[in-house]
Amino acid sequence: MYKKYFYLFIYRVFAQHLPPSGRSKLAKKIRYFCCKRIFKYIGTNVNIEKNAYFGKGFELSIGDNSGIGINCSVPTDITIGKNVLMGPNVFIFGGTTHVFSNPEIPIKFQGYERCRKVVIEDDIWIGRDATINQGRTLKQGTIVAARSVVTKDFPPYSIIGGNPAQLIKSRK
């Protein structure tokens, strides 16, 4: 476990701030090297971009030919499938949320509850600045338009967009 923390430290202090992968193949290799020692699973040909944030990342799984884009923030326990494209500045919520069921008690004092984790299946394209709320599953073949806010699940091979995201059309 100490090794994971060591590589997380190296990632946060050094590797995360290296140039984008398109400008430096060495930077891409260094970030991959660190993440291979941090993540639960990391496939081949995975690209973790500059300033990608993933919490501790110890429960993160990411499949072959996928990536986390520049300045993206993903939860520490997310599952990302194979062949996933993620544009810059994507924000995916996860972890915990505030309990607010009792209106007699201030929300601040009601505590937290664990959210369902986010799952991104295979062959997904997430556009720039998209936001995905906790507990969502992006099904196989889905395209998420830039700046969309995903608040519910959609069928496989959907093209979705807007705030809140709506079905634009099916790819099938």
Side-chain angles (χ1 to χ4, degrees):
M1 183 58 96
Y2 292 113
K3 283 185 181 180
K4 285 185 180 267
Y5 281 105
F6 173 75
Y7 285 105
L8 182 61
F9 177 78
I10 297 299
Y11 175 81
R12 293 252 179 90
V13 170
F14 173 68
Q16 175 178 0
H17 306 289
L18 293 172
S21 300
R23 289 191 10 221
S24 172
K25 298 222 184 275
L26 179 60
K28 178 180 177 177
K29 288 179 182 180
I30 291 170
R31 283 192 288 269
Y32 181 84
F33 178 84
C34 289
C35 291
K36 188 162 182 70
R37 285 145 183 82
I38 298 168
F39 294 172
K40 182 177 182 178
Y41 173 79
I42 188 167
T44 59
N45 194 32
V46 170
N47 185 25
I48 308 301
E49 271 292 358
K50 176 182 172 114
N51 292 328
Y53 180 79
F54 44 76
K56 288 181 183 172
F58 298 163
E59 295 300 313
L60 194 152
S61 295
I62 185 166
D64 300 338
N65 307 310
S66 293
I68 300 174
I70 296 172
N71 298 324
C72 288
S73 180
V74 301
T76 192
D77 62 349
I78 191 170
T79 299
I80 301 171
K82 297 176 183 176
N83 304 309
V84 173
L85 298 166
M86 192 179 297
N89 306 317
V90 170
F91 192 89
I92 302 174
F93 287 98
T96 60
T97 186
H98 290 278
V99 176
F100 55 89
S101 56
N102 187 345
E104 304 296 319
I105 301 172
I107 294 169
K108 180 178 182 175
F109 301 115
Q110 291 189 47
Y112 301 93
E113 65 184 9
R114 196 100 182 103
C115 300
R116 283 186 324 136
K117 72 183 219 174
V118 174
V119 175
I120 299 173
E121 295 182 355
D122 299 339
D123 188 28
I124 306 286
W125 177 16
I126 304 171
R128 176 186 200 100
D129 296 313
T131 301
I132 300 167
N133 284 351
Q134 64 264 20
R136 299 299 100 215
T137 297
L138 294 179
K139 304 242 171 58
Q140 182 166 347
T142 296
I143 297 172
V144 180
R147 298 210 168 167
S148 297
V149 178
V150 180
T151 59
K152 63 181 183 178
D153 295 344
F154 292 89
Y157 299 98
S158 295
I159 299 175
I160 60 175
N163 180 6
Q166 296 178 11
L167 181 65
I168 295 171
K169 70 179 195 174
S170 176
R171 293 178 58 209
K172 287 259 177 168

